[in-house]
Structures are given as C-alpha cells and as structure tokens.
Amino acid sequence: MKLARIGPAGHERPVLLDPRGRLRGLDDVIGDLNAAAISQEGLSRLTKLDPELLPIIDPDGVRFGPPVADIGKIVCIGLNYTDHAAEVGLPVPTEPTIFLKGCRPTGANDDVRLPRDAIKGAWEVELGIVIGEGGLYIDEADADAHIAGYCLFNDLSERAYQMERGGQWTKGKSFPGFAPTGPWLVTRDEIADPQALAIWLEVNGHRYQEGSTANLVFGVRHVVAYVSQFLALEAGDLIVTGTPAGVGLGQDPPVFLRDGDTIRLGIDGLGEQRQQVFAWKD
C-alpha cells in the first residue's frame, strides 16, 4: 500500500493511493496514520479494505504532509554510501555512524527556509525506514517484522553549523523545516528489495545525485538491528539511511543552497519531492 496524509499543516487527514493512483479517504476507517495504524495489526486491517469502496478525493491543490502522524525520533546514519564517503574524503565506517535530527518532519513539498545568515545550506536525498513495531536488541533476521515501510527523505543541513561550529552534527541538521518526508509511506510488501532502488536529486534542474541504494555500506536490516542496540525503537520512529554521492560539499567548487533555489528528488517506488528554498527573513 501507499499511504499518505493530506491537508494543511496540523490538520492532515489519512488517505491511501488505489492501484490507479487515485486518492482514497481513510477518515471513516482510522483517525490518523499514527503508531497504531502502522503496526502489524493496523496495516493488516488496512490491507483488507477494498479501495473501490473508499471515497475518492480530488487531488487538485492537495498538500502532502508527513506520511505518519507524530513521527518520533529521526535517527540518521552518516556516511553510509561508498561513493559519498569517497567524495568527501572520509573512510568508510566500520560501524554505522548514528546521529539524531532534532526537528519535526515537514511535508514533501513544503517550502524550505534557510537559517539566518546561512552560508552552506545542503541537500541529501535519503531512503527512510519507518518503524512499525518497536524493540530493543532486535536480531537482524527479525528486522523486517519491525519495519512498516519506506519513504523518501531530504536530510537538509547547514554545513557551517555542522562542521565549523564545534560539537555534534545535530547542530547543523535540526533547523525547522530541515526534514521533508514523504509524500507516501510505502509498505514493506511493495518494495521487493530496498537495496536496489534508483535514487536522485536535482537543484535548479541540474542532477547532482544519481545513484542506487545498492551502494549502501550497511543495509536496511543491519541498520535497524544496529540502532536497536543503543536506542529503544518505537512505532513511528524514522531511520534515514544516508545519501549517495553528489552532495554540494563534494562539488568542485562546492555548491550550496541559496534563496530561490528549487530542489527535486526521488526514489523509485517512493515518489518525488519538490521544495522551494527561501532565505531567512526577520
């Protein structure tokens, strides 16, 4: 299934996409796409629905919000593509690099506002893993049972905050609006192999990132199991798995986001995003 939440920020309603790509309302079935709805039991209930019996929603002007309500932790895996590590001149990690992103998810196509005096705004297209069943010390062989599905994610950052202001990466990753998520949650059964997906990103029509999740250093199951050794995963948590080569920092000369830029990104089967970038205004 492809599940989504549409409507104004803070007032989204749950929908699914039927086999022909039409939006079908879930208001009369569930209150929202929350932790209960994306659990194994909740998703099993949704799979039994006949989409043809659900009301069609006019897609004109629809805003896609974050596909899961009240997403909990955003856990990020750094340097998790072999080609990305090479372009920034850093060694491939021997264990996953974990950091947290301290902002709330936003809609897939919501505007992005850079921080005040931003000088090194950056993009990163990423595959997101949505946790449906929580756990601690999850075995890698059991990881699939804890995954509700996958989504597209843009891990935006201000590199000067991240790399030149001391402390941890979280400082540069957590400005409001730096977590566009969705448009859809695509359930696990629809993605035959999450490590065989084309992944790309463009800025102002120029394609900077074009790769494949096949280049992940640490795969989806390994990442879920690994993170659960250090953090108790909960339904609704989001693990974003790193970005392929083509980040602005890796260009010669480096390229950073500016007022008026347009970002487009996508992953096969998970949809696309489009964001307009604006400078901070007091």
Side-chain angles (χ1 to χ4, degrees), residues 121-145:
W123 63 81
E124 290 184 355
V125 57
E126 307 206 10
L127 169 69
I129 306 167
V130 179
I131 299 299
E133 299 286 341
L136 189 64
Y137 297 119
I138 296 168
D139 288 335
E140 187 169 337
D142 299 328
D144 278 350

Side-chain angles (χ1 to χ4, degrees), residues 84 87-88 120 122-123 159 162-164 246-256:
H84 175 49
E87 76 172 339
V88 296
K120 294 184 178 179
W123 63 81
R159 297 292 195 199
Q162 177 188 355
M163 306 176 76
E164 300 168 19
V247 300
L249 192 64
Q251 306 303 308
D252 185 17
V255 178
F256 299 109

Side-chain angles (χ1 to χ4, degrees), residues 74-79 84 97-105 115 120-126 153-163 166 168-180 240 242-243 247 249:
I74 303 180
V75 183
C76 304
I77 309 299
L79 295 173
H84 175 49
T97 299
I98 297 175
F99 62 95
L100 298 178
K101 200 169 176 79
C103 53
R104 303 297 301 168
K120 294 184 178 179
W123 63 81
E124 290 184 355
V125 57
E126 307 206 10
F153 188 84
N154 191 357
D155 179 17
L156 294 161
S157 58
E158 167 52 46
R159 297 292 195 199
Y161 293 0
Q162 177 188 355
M163 306 176 76
Q168 301 295 317
W169 286 1
T170 296
K171 184 185 295 184
K173 296 283 187 175
S174 301
F175 196 74
F178 272 14
V240 291
T243 197
V247 300
L249 192 64

Side-chain angles (χ1 to χ4, degrees), residues 49-213:
L49 296 174
D50 181 353
E52 295 297 323
L53 301 179
L54 299 172
I56 294 177
I57 297 174
D58 185 350
D60 288 348
V62 162
R63 170 188 175 268
F64 283 89
V68 178
D70 301 322
I71 285 176
K73 300 182 287 295
I74 303 180
V75 183
C76 304
I77 309 299
L79 295 173
N80 198 27
Y81 279 76
T82 54
D83 52 0
H84 175 49
E87 76 172 339
V88 296
L90 293 172
V92 173
T94 56
E95 293 189 39
T97 299
I98 297 175
F99 62 95
L100 298 178
K101 200 169 176 79
C103 53
R104 303 297 301 168
T106 51
N109 304 313
D110 289 356
D111 291 342
V112 171
R113 197 164 299 280
L114 298 172
R116 180 186 292 159
D117 301 323
I119 56 173
K120 294 184 178 179
W123 63 81
E124 290 184 355
V125 57
E126 307 206 10
L127 169 69
I129 306 167
V130 179
I131 299 299
E133 299 286 341
L136 189 64
Y137 297 119
I138 296 168
D139 288 335
E140 187 169 337
D142 299 328
D144 278 350
H146 294 264
I147 298 172
Y150 303 97
C151 65
L152 176 61
F153 188 84
N154 191 357
D155 179 17
L156 294 161
S157 58
E158 167 52 46
R159 297 292 195 199
Y161 293 0
Q162 177 188 355
M163 306 176 76
E164 300 168 19
R165 299 285 296 272
Q168 301 295 317
W169 286 1
T170 296
K171 184 185 295 184
K173 296 283 187 175
S174 301
F175 196 74
F178 272 14
T181 308
W184 317 312
L185 163 64
V186 181
T187 52
R188 193 181 72 245
D189 59 291
E190 285 212 10
I191 304 298
D193 185 354
Q195 284 144 225
L197 304 175
I199 180 170
W200 58 271
L201 181 144
E202 299 175 349
V203 180
N204 300 330
H206 179 81
R207 185 157 294 199
Y208 284 96
Q209 294 186 275
E210 186 161 26
S212 170
T213 57

Side-chain angles (χ1 to χ4, degrees), residues 205-257:
H206 179 81
R207 185 157 294 199
Y208 284 96
Q209 294 186 275
E210 186 161 26
S212 170
T213 57
N215 289 328
L216 283 167
V217 178
F218 304 105
V220 165
R221 296 179 184 88
H222 182 82
V223 163
V224 170
Y226 186 86
V227 170
S228 76
Q229 296 179 39
F230 307 97
L231 304 172
L233 291 174
E234 299 174 335
D237 285 349
L238 176 62
I239 302 175
V240 291
T241 55
T243 197
V247 300
L249 192 64
Q251 306 303 308
D252 185 17
V255 178
F256 299 109
L257 294 170

